[in-house]
Amino acid sequence: MRGRLGLLGAAAGAALLLPAGARLWPDGGESPGGDDGKARSVPTDLRARDPRATAAARRVYALLAGLENDARRGRPSRTVIGQHVELHNERYNPRYGDVRGTKPPGYYYRKARDITGRLPGFVELDLGPGYGRPGWAVGASRPYSRAWPGCGKDWGYVDDAVDLAVGVWAGLPRPADGSHRPSGAHTDCASGSEVSLPHNGGGPAGLVGFSFHQPYPGSPVKGFPQTLHRNSPGARDPGWFDRVVTPGTAEHGALLFDLGFLADHLGYLAGRGVPVLLRPYHEMNTAPGQGFWWAGQDPAAFRRLWRLTYDYLVGRRGLHNLLFVWAPNSWDGSYGRDPHAYYPGGRHVDIVGVDDYSGSPARPFGGGAWTEIWYRGLERYLRPRIVSESFHVPLNAAQPRTLSRTPWVLWTVWGQALTYDNVSEPRRKNTTDDVKRTYYASQVITEQDFT
């Protein structure tokens, strides 16, 4: 019988319990120690970075750090399986997913249960990038979001994001508790349609994260094209990014305006007691001119961007429910470069990860086991290591022993890649058997392991 993690939920208030059962690598495997064979432990108390970190954020960090230290010491460890949910595509893009037509929010959160009978143990959401509409806006106007235009067309997904986050942490449906939408259902004010989030049994169901696909500061339209470097002012003006990270400039003011949108929503989650793994400015190490507007920049300027974002969210806005995730692209030497110069430092980072789109389970990149080159490369940072994005589940027909060789503490599958026969790319990444193999493995932590 699988062990359970008595840890989560705004109402749970339980102390962290390490997994009691199935704490072993059934397939055997190597101990991921240092080059000298000695274990190098990661810090276990989040207050070393933020003395005012909330108790819930400290519990989540302690869980992940404990799993990491078990792996580093050659002890049995486990991996939280995660799912990134692209709410804007689910709700508004009819060519997204495994069937044509728009879908209810949380479709790919629920899809894991449709396939396996189990929900993921981690859900990552996003307040960006928007869906091609002007400015920032929200669905229903709420006390925490009154600074932003309400009832915006194609902006209801922003409300869905925070409501699903609370629902994963505290349960859906749940009794009225002062939060928005505890039933999971509401009427979308822009379209008039009924919108429902997936139920998860009404109790704590896992961990929550947010990435932030932020359109370039000052972008009049918010959408994915505006997140890309080639569509930003930086593609034409080499000095633009430096002005973004320089206080007192118009570009810096536009950056803070965008961060205000992020902070207002994260602040609501803080008020509900929800800790968040925040993964901003990911894939920063791509080749110059490639990827996002913040990517391929001078490393010192990128580190300023990260630190001023940290200072704004934690110092100015007082958000102490955050765990900061630094996640470069896989550094395969072509699209992704060595990320070390972009590391902001341990005082501003809690978790390190990799967005791995290099190679495949059938044809791993680099020597060694699949993903091992990234796993070993992140060891030096002395932080819990995660696969922050992948098209693939970790245990599949080509690589059934991934987590024995590389026991990542968290592995997140990107959006519609979870399903095989999709309308659009990515397609044919995971078979139903692959997904079941992962979700049923004793090494893997799903929603069932959280009480």
Side-chain angles (χ1 to χ4, degrees):
M1 180 177 180
R2 290 152 66 99
R4 305 205 42 106
L5 299 166
L7 145 87
L8 300 182
L16 173 65
L17 300 178
L18 294 178
R23 287 183 47 77
L24 55 118
W25 296 332
D27 301 319
E30 293 184 359
S31 165
D35 293 338
D36 57 4
K38 296 180 180 178
R40 297 185 176 93
S41 297
V42 305
T44 57
D45 191 341
L46 188 61
R47 288 174 294 185
R49 194 266 298 164
D50 181 3
R52 297 178 62 190
T54 65
R58 284 158 41 203
R59 290 198 301 271
V60 170
Y61 178 75
L63 166 66
L64 300 177
L67 294 172
E68 175 71 24
N69 282 333
D70 279 348
R72 286 173 177 256
R73 294 164 184 162
R75 298 173 180 170
S77 186
R78 299 177 73 191
T79 300
V80 182
I81 185 65
Q83 179 66 38
H84 184 95
V85 176
E86 296 184 272
L87 289 168
H88 63 295
N89 275 322
E90 291 182 350
R91 286 200 58 182
Y92 312 127
N93 183 354
R95 291 186 52 79
Y96 182 81
D98 58 343
V99 294
R100 292 183 182 273
T102 58
K103 297 162 184 66
Y107 181 83
Y108 271 94
Y109 173 55
R110 187 186 65 198
K111 179 61 70 171
R113 184 174 59 196
D114 293 343
I115 297 171
T116 69
R118 297 171 178 172
L119 291 167
F122 170 76
V123 177
E124 186 180 64
L125 304 156
D126 204 314
L127 294 169
Y131 201 71
R133 299 295 175 181
W136 291 111
V138 296
S141 182
R142 299 173 171 180
Y144 66 85
S145 62
R146 284 176 180 160
W148 311 98
C151 210
K153 180 175 173 55
D154 296 340
W155 281 105
Y157 82 90
V158 173
D159 297 355
D160 296 333
V162 294
D163 292 343
L164 183 55
V166 176
V168 171
W169 181 256
L172 269 176
R174 60 188 181 276
D177 57 1
S179 67
H180 295 279
R181 206 165 149 193
S183 70
H186 79 299
T187 301
D188 184 90
C189 68
S191 67
S193 60
E194 293 297 315
V195 178
S196 295
L197 297 171
H199 290 182
N200 56 22
L207 311 180
V208 173
F210 275 80
S211 56
F212 189 38
H213 283 79
Q214 177 188 356
Y216 69 83
S219 169
V221 173
K222 307 303 179 188
F224 185 77
Q226 288 73 39
T227 69
L228 301 177
H229 177 272
R230 66 173 179 264
N231 298 322
S232 75
R236 301 173 298 279
D237 180 356
W240 174 79
F241 188 82
D242 191 62
R243 295 195 298 275
V244 169
V245 297
T246 300
T249 65
E251 292 83 355
H252 186 76
L255 172 71
L256 296 183
F257 182 78
D258 292 351
L259 292 179
F261 182 78
L262 175 65
D264 285 349
H265 292 81
L266 294 178
Y268 169 69
L269 296 177
R272 300 308 311 166
V274 182
V276 174
L277 277 67
L278 180 64
R279 189 170 64 95
Y281 306 126
H282 57 296
E283 300 179 19
M284 75 300 295
N285 61 318
T286 57
Q290 302 296 314
F292 300 113
W293 61 263
W294 59 81
Q297 303 290 345
D298 171 71
F302 174 82
R303 295 195 302 268
R304 291 203 304 274
L305 173 66
W306 185 283
R307 291 168 183 170
L308 67 87
T309 298
Y310 177 97
D311 290 343
Y312 177 83
L313 295 175
V314 178
R316 183 168 168 181
R317 298 299 298 268
L319 299 177
H320 301 285
N321 62 321
L322 305 178
L323 286 74
F324 284 83
V325 181
W326 178 75
N329 198 84
S330 48
W331 46 101
D332 57 15
S334 55
Y335 186 73
R337 309 295 177 87
D338 185 336
H340 184 62
Y342 291 93
Y343 186 59
R347 290 186 298 171
H348 300 89
V349 173
D350 303 306
I351 297 164
V352 296
V354 60
D355 292 4
D356 180 20
Y357 297 110
S358 299
S360 68
R363 294 182 175 83
F365 178 84
W370 181 46
T371 74
E372 186 171 9
I373 187 170
W374 325 125
Y375 189 75
R376 306 298 176 188
L378 292 172
E379 186 173 15
R380 66 193 294 183
Y381 299 103
L382 297 180
R383 293 291 183 270
R385 289 169 286 182
I386 72 172
V387 173
S388 41
E389 292 183 23
S390 176
F391 283 152
H392 303 277
V393 291
L395 304 178
N396 49 67
Q399 299 288 343
R401 299 179 64 247
T402 304
L403 300 179
S404 299
R405 189 72 173 268
T406 54
W408 302 92
V409 304
L410 170 64
W411 183 298
T412 301
V413 177
W414 183 262
Q416 70 172 6
L418 184 71
T419 48
Y420 187 77
D421 193 15
N422 296 323
V423 176
S424 59
E425 295 292 340
R427 306 176 72 236
R428 297 183 170 88
K429 301 299 183 182
N430 300 291
T431 67
T432 296
D433 286 343
D434 291 337
V435 179
K436 289 180 177 178
R437 182 194 301 266
T438 291
Y439 272 72
Y440 295 161
S442 60
Q443 296 158 292
V444 171
I445 296 170
T446 69
E447 137 275 342
Q448 293 186 347
D449 293 289
F450 294 99
T451 58

